[in-house]
Amino acid sequence: MVVPRVQAAIASAFGEEYRGTDPVVRPSQFADIQINAAMALAKKVGLPPRDAAARIVEALDLDGVCTEAEISGPGFINLTFDGTWIEELLNAETPGVQAVPPAEAQRVVVDYSSPNVAKEMHVGHLRTTVVGDSLVKVFEALGDTVIRQNHIGDWGTPFGMLIEHWLEIGEDSPEAALLVDDPSAFYQAARAKFDASATDEDGFATRARLRVVALQGGDQETFAVWQRLVAQSKRYFNAIYSMLGISLTDDHIAGESSYDAHLAQLCQELEDRGIARISDGALCTFPAGFTGRDGLPMPLIIRKSDGGYGYGTTDLATIRYRVRELEANRVLYVVGAPQNMHLRMVMATARDAGWLPDTVEAVHVQIGNVLGRTGRS
Ligand code: ARG
């Protein structure tokens, strides 16, 4: 829409032979986009760049698309879009997308959003949520069968502390409402109590540790409290999904806890088949091609020396489940870039184990860091 109009303006200002000119659209710091074509055109038409830019702007039809065109610097044209036009585009049934029937419909599993229970969704999660949901919609428009997987962090040691804190303050107390309204404040409060009682033998930290043991040992009452706690976090996630128009529902949740019952067997199988071995007390795989700075093979820890399982173990279980049970031809992990090494090691191990056959494509859709003004994340 914008490009043909800029090209029409160039043609009317400098002649038909320039209609095919690349308008050189770039993001702008001052407006929505920036057109940089005037600089290169200026030489060809023998004008100072700012004058060439002015001629383009004069001939440009902004109607219904832009509210403003401004010349800045050596000859940049800054364009500001008309909000109503953007809104119409967004509300259109299939904005600019036409379904192209795929050669063969795929079963695509997309792991995205995947926030953590009792924690705030940070900007990284928002990005994987938005990008993941867009991908899902594109695949669906292409005719693929898409299976959404929200791999929420709902298991592991912090849950002892979170449950114990929740029970102490009372499930219906105003402080407990933070779980939905400000999860990070809830988490911090539990953490602070835990840290303050670290050395106290009958204190909160000790009770929190016993609570994890009870939870993982299948204690009914603790399990029921945990379920209610997770339900509160789901309310928080869903409130955000609905604000953003995200298509995830509770039906798509397959959190870390859902793999727990399979982890012991998974580790045993890898050990029996010689794919994993004990190193410094921990069960590890050493997939080919991953070496540390010291040149030694890098481990993917799948069972810690204390017998606990970690992020690598659950992620191996995700791949196995998605290929075997969900019958995926393609598995996408829409996850932040810092987890690339982890996911590549998991995928390599899954290939070695035969859980990820060559016919199935596994991709880490990397989302880069969101940086603040200081350039830090
Ligand atoms: N919960 C994780 C985090 O917040 C993201 C999980 C991504 N998915 C996965 N299968 N590893 O970093």
Side-chain angles (χ1 to χ4, degrees):
M1 191 87 166
V2 177
V3 169
R5 288 211 196 180
V6 174
Q7 289 179 321
I10 293 174
S12 107
F14 308 116
E16 266 313 309
E17 67 269 34
Y18 291 105
R19 189 178 284 273
T21 305
D22 175 1
V24 195
V25 180
R26 294 286 176 269
S28 162
Q29 265 181 290
F30 308 105
D32 291 318
I33 55 166
Q34 177 172 305
I35 307 291
N36 293 352
M39 269 78 78
L41 265 173
K43 282 196 203 102
K44 294 187 192 148
V45 300
L47 284 175
R50 277 188 76 98
D51 292 354
R55 295 272 296 275
I56 299 172
V57 170
E58 256 165 56
L60 189 59
D61 171 17
L62 300 176
D63 199 33
V65 173
C66 292
T67 52
E68 213 183 316
E70 202 188 34
I71 300 168
S72 76
F76 305 122
I77 304 170
N78 296 330
L79 296 181
T80 306
F81 294 141
D82 182 340
T84 326
W85 175 57
I86 300 282
E87 226 167 278
E88 276 165 14
L89 277 182
L90 292 175
N91 291 336
E93 269 300 293
T94 44
V97 176
Q98 276 197 338
V100 183
E104 207 177 315
Q106 308 264 326
R107 279 177 77 81
V108 189
V109 169
V110 187
D111 177 322
Y112 69 106
S113 188
S114 308
N116 301 311
V117 164
K119 284 201 189 160
E120 192 170 21
M121 274 175 79
H122 59 69
V123 69
H125 292 121
L126 292 182
R127 286 189 72 182
T128 74
T129 303
V130 172
V131 172
D133 214 50
S134 309
L135 282 173
V136 155
K137 287 170 185 165
V138 169
F139 285 117
E140 280 178 343
L142 289 172
D144 289 329
T145 302
V146 177
I147 304 164
R148 296 160 171 77
Q149 293 280 281
N150 193 358
H151 187 69
I152 60 170
D154 60 356
W155 205 240
T157 36
F159 283 87
M161 161 188 105
L162 294 167
I163 292 175
E164 206 52 35
H165 174 59
W166 203 37
L167 289 175
E168 263 188 30
I169 57 175
E171 290 185 30
D172 298 319
S173 67
E175 280 165 286
L178 288 176
L179 260 178
V180 184
D181 300 334
D182 187 357
S184 129
F186 181 91
Y187 194 94
Q188 299 303 334
R191 178 95 248 169
K193 255 199 227 175
F194 187 87
D195 291 343
S197 59
T199 51
D200 179 357
E201 257 180 44
D202 326 299
F204 177 79
T206 307
R207 289 199 298 281
R209 282 194 200 96
L210 292 173
R211 194 54 85 173
V212 190
V213 178
L215 179 66
Q216 307 205 325
D219 175 62
Q220 294 269 316
E221 201 189 308
T222 302
F223 191 75
V225 184
W226 168 81
Q227 279 180 314
R228 293 199 294 278
L229 184 94
V230 175
Q232 292 297 314
S233 270
K234 287 185 194 168
R235 285 177 52 199
Y236 162 74
F237 301 148
N238 288 335
I240 291 179
Y241 295 153
S242 107
M243 272 191 266
L244 296 173
I246 298 299
S247 63
L248 284 169
T249 68
D250 287 356
D251 291 344
H252 304 121
I253 290 184
E256 291 175 2
S257 64
S258 64
Y259 299 97
D260 189 57
H262 307 284
L263 303 183
Q265 181 274 335
L266 181 146
C267 289
Q268 194 61 51
E269 183 181 333
L270 290 179
E271 191 173 3
D272 291 348
R273 293 172 54 198
I275 296 166
R277 63 180 164 82
I278 303 282
S279 169
D280 283 337
L283 184 63
C284 308
T285 67
F286 295 89
F290 295 89
T291 39
R293 261 187 233 144
D294 50 9
L296 295 173
M298 264 187 15
L300 174 72
I301 299 178
I302 59 171
R303 195 180 61 220
K304 298 179 216 160
S305 51
D306 66 3
Y309 305 109
Y311 195 45
T313 333
T314 36
D315 258 332
L316 275 172
T318 63
I319 290 212
R320 192 171 69 158
Y321 171 74
R322 289 165 191 181
V323 173
R324 221 186 250 178
E325 314 292 331
L326 301 178
E327 298 178 352
N329 315 114
R330 203 181 233 188
V331 187
L332 306 186
Y333 288 83
V334 188
V335 182
Q339 296 187 30
N340 181 255
M341 172 83 86
H342 158 79
L343 286 171
R344 282 190 300 131
M345 291 182 86
V346 165
M347 289 170 190
T349 299
R351 295 242 184 247
D352 290 342
W355 298 334
L356 184 60
D358 289 343
T359 49
V360 179
E361 187 191 10
V363 184
H364 175 200
V365 178
Q366 300 191 49
I367 307 284
N369 288 336
V370 180
L371 303 179
R373 281 185 198 286
T374 56
R376 297 203 184 147
S377 58

